[in-house]
Each structure stands twice: as structure tokens, then as C-alpha cells.
Amino acid sequence: MRQRQLGPFTVSAIGLGCMNLSHAYGVPPSPEQGAQVLLKALDLGCTLFDTAALYGFGANEELVGKVLAPHRSRFTLASKCGMQGVGGKRVIDGRPATLRATCEDSLRRLRTDVIDLYYLHRWDKAVPIEDSVGALADLVKQGKIRAIGLSEVSAATLRRAHAVHPITAVQTEYSLWTRNAEVAVLDACKQLGTAFVAFSPVARGFLTGALRDVATLDAKDIRRAMPRFAPDNYAANLRLLEAFEALAAQAGVTPAQLALAWLLAQGDHIIPIPGTTSLAHLADNLAAADLDLPAEVLARAGELINAGNVVGPRYPAAVQVEIDTEEVPS
């Protein structure tokens, strides 16, 4: 697989987001099925695995640690702190003492002595970003983490953090239907030498074309609370898929591969991390790293689905206030 640079690490151009093996999209797969996905990704050349303390309230780190610890030298390990489960509830807490404690818990669950890339999952706005990043910088000095990342932050916050300690990566949602990164932070990353890790690069399943009826989503699936997946909005968004799927077919690729190829073409510092519970979809996603699609096909994909024609914000209002990412002007 083609490679990209993630700070000091050379990684596969497409990584694996591990969240949905334990979290967020209804009933997760069995640990056995999750293990199959992780090991198959490694076999297919994926060398970036992304987890977090939040996912499954520790269960995802446990899974990743149990399955991949014997292969630790073969991949770059990323996890996150600053948002986790406390007493069964999701809590954002960026205080230095909390970040230190979370790191110790993550190291234990991941069965490793060091986490390669450790993100502040959310900026706790009650704590100066300089204080949270300073605590992570101390973890670097102690050899418990190798590099620092931030998630869902603005260009201004990235620059403040970078002044305290080099920021290796920013992780934010980015895809054909979510273009917030293009407002400012994508360029800021390029200027600072910071990699941009794109989560939900196939739009939480929308760009695969497989999800036609949101009524089939599990009652606990987080997409049920997301405005774009509300029945009326989703029906409008589905109308965008027909031409997109036809374009993919003409190019001889799947819709998911077209979405990932488009994302990779937006900058050499961009690394998508699609997640899946399916071995077939895993192989399909990772194969997109080696595609060479014509520039006009990629440009057309961006014209067919973009911030101007997608209906609905990406997060409900209660979640939107928790993030720091720039908003696309309406």
C-alpha cells in the first residue's frame, strides 16, 4: 500500500478507525469478529490503527490491545484522551491530572509501554488548551507517548497548541459531504507540517450507498440523533447518490473507493481512517489507497456532493457546542 507521513511515522495512506468495533453504531460485532477485522487490516498492509479511551468506555482499547499487542512493532498506534466514560456517561475533561490518569489506563488496556500518537479527543473549553497540551508534552518527556494530536479543533486553537509543543496530527471529520476542514484548519496543518487525519471519510456509511433506509438503524445508533440522518433530510441527501454511484461505476470503482480517492487527492498530508465491521468492506476501503483516478472524475465527485447541497448539519446543537471546528459559511 502507498504510504504517507504522520509526523515521525510512515504509515499506510489509509488507516483503520477502530471505533465501530466497540462503539456508536448499535450492537457491536463480537470480539471474535472484531479480531478478524484488525488482523485482516494488518495483513492487507494497514499500519495505522486508531482507537480512544471513549470507545466502548475502554472496551475498544482492550480489544486492540489483546489482538494487536503481539504485532506491536508492525504498526503505528493512536489513541485519545480528554473524553471518556465516567459512571456510564460521556465526559469531557482536559485537566492535566485527568489526562495523566487516562494515559495510564490506556497503556494498560492497550498492553503497550508507549502510545505512538495520543490525541486530545476534545478540547475542554474550561481548561486552557496550553495546559492540556502541556500535560501531554510531559507524557512525551516521560516516554509514555511519542507524539501529540488534537481532534475537532480550529486553526486558531491548533496554532496556540503548536506553540506549546509540536502537534503531529489533527483529526476531524472530512469527506465529500463534510467540508469544515477546508475553511482553515486543513491549510493550517499544511503550513505547520501537521498531518490531517480524516475520520468518517465515507460519511458514516452514506457514501457507500449501502444505507438506504435510516429506519433500519439500531435504536442506539448515534446516527439517529444526527440531523443529516433525520428521515426528511436523509431522503433529500439520498437523491445526491444516484449520479455519484453512476460516476463510480463509470470509473470502475465502488462508491466508497471514489470517496476515499477524492479525499486522498485533496492533499498529501491527509490520511483517511474509515472504520468497518466487514472484511469485504475493509479490503475495498484499503484498496482505494492505490487507485489512480482521472482528475476530472475526482473533480466531478466533488461537484456532485459538497457542503452546498447536503441537507442538515453534521451534529445536533448539544454536540456542536462541544467542538471547536470552524463552520462552513451558510
Side-chain angles (χ1 to χ4, degrees):
M1 194 187 304
R2 288 173 178 162
Q3 308 289 295
R4 291 202 164 179
Q5 209 62 31
L6 181 64
F9 314 109
T10 301
V11 300
S12 53
I14 295 178
L16 181 68
C18 300
M19 180 182 77
N20 59 355
L21 298 178
S22 309
H23 186 86
Y25 296 126
V27 179
S30 67
E32 293 75 20
Q33 185 180 347
Q36 287 181 341
V37 171
L38 292 171
L39 291 173
K40 186 64 174 177
L42 199 62
D43 288 345
L44 291 172
C46 178
T47 59
L48 174 62
F49 291 80
D50 183 279
T51 181
L54 176 72
Y55 303 158
F57 291 5
N60 196 244
E61 287 184 327
E62 291 273 7
L63 174 67
V64 170
K66 181 179 179 180
V67 175
L68 294 182
H71 311 281
R72 185 66 183 85
S73 63
R74 295 173 57 189
F75 65 93
T76 297
L77 175 63
S79 193
K80 308 179 194 71
C81 62
M83 183 164 64
Q84 60 186 317
V86 178
K89 295 183 178 180
R90 180 177 64 89
V91 173
I92 296 174
D93 185 348
R95 293 174 296 175
T98 301
L99 303 186
R100 289 192 292 269
T102 304
C103 183
E104 295 295 337
D105 290 341
S106 291
L107 289 167
R108 173 180 51 79
R109 288 191 292 256
L110 290 164
R111 306 187 187 191
T112 188
D113 295 328
V114 61
I115 297 168
D116 297 314
L117 175 59
Y118 203 43
Y119 291 94
L120 185 66
H121 204 161
R122 288 290 184 274
W123 174 30
D124 178 355
K125 297 174 184 177
V127 179
I129 190 66
E130 292 82 359
D131 291 359
S132 294
V133 172
L136 297 181
D138 288 340
L139 292 174
V140 173
K141 292 175 185 176
Q142 294 165 22
K144 295 182 178 180
I145 67 175
R146 290 194 170 103
I148 297 172
L150 301 175
S151 181
E152 294 277 27
V153 297
S154 65
T157 301
L158 168 60
R159 293 185 189 282
R160 285 173 56 191
H162 195 77
V164 175
H165 187 280
I167 301 300
T168 291
V170 167
Q171 182 174 142
T172 293
E173 183 175 356
Y174 186 32
S175 69
L176 284 161
W177 88 338
T178 295
R179 305 293 189 94
N180 306 65
E182 295 174 357
V183 175
V185 79
L186 203 58
D187 284 343
C189 284
K190 193 168 186 178
Q191 292 164 9
L192 295 173
T194 298
F196 186 92
V197 176
F199 75 78
S200 297
V202 293
R204 302 184 188 274
F206 169 72
L207 291 169
T208 68
L211 179 61
R212 295 301 198 189
D213 185 0
V214 290
T216 64
L217 294 175
D218 185 90
K220 294 184 178 180
D221 192 307
I222 62 171
R223 290 172 289 187
R224 282 190 171 272
M226 292 179 171
R228 288 180 185 174
F229 290 90
D232 289 348
N233 288 346
Y234 200 70
N237 290 327
L238 279 177
R239 290 195 282 271
L240 303 175
L241 277 183
E242 183 177 356
F244 180 73
E245 289 174 324
L247 180 66
Q250 291 166 11
V253 299
T254 66
Q257 288 178 328
L258 177 54
L260 290 166
W262 176 87
L263 198 49
L264 289 167
Q266 303 314 300
D268 292 339
H269 63 310
I270 297 170
I271 304 169
I273 52 167
T276 184
T277 61
S278 162
L279 293 178
H281 292 166
L282 173 69
D284 185 75
N285 290 342
L286 294 179
D290 294 324
L291 294 175
D292 289 303
L293 297 182
E296 57 269 24
V297 171
L298 299 174
R300 182 59 180 154
E303 293 169 358
L304 291 173
I305 300 176
N306 55 67
N309 57 19
V310 170
V311 179
R314 66 186 181 114
Y315 283 137
V319 176
Q320 187 63 41
V321 297
E322 297 176 348
I323 64 173
D324 181 51
T325 315
E326 289 95 351
E327 287 299 295
V328 176
S330 56

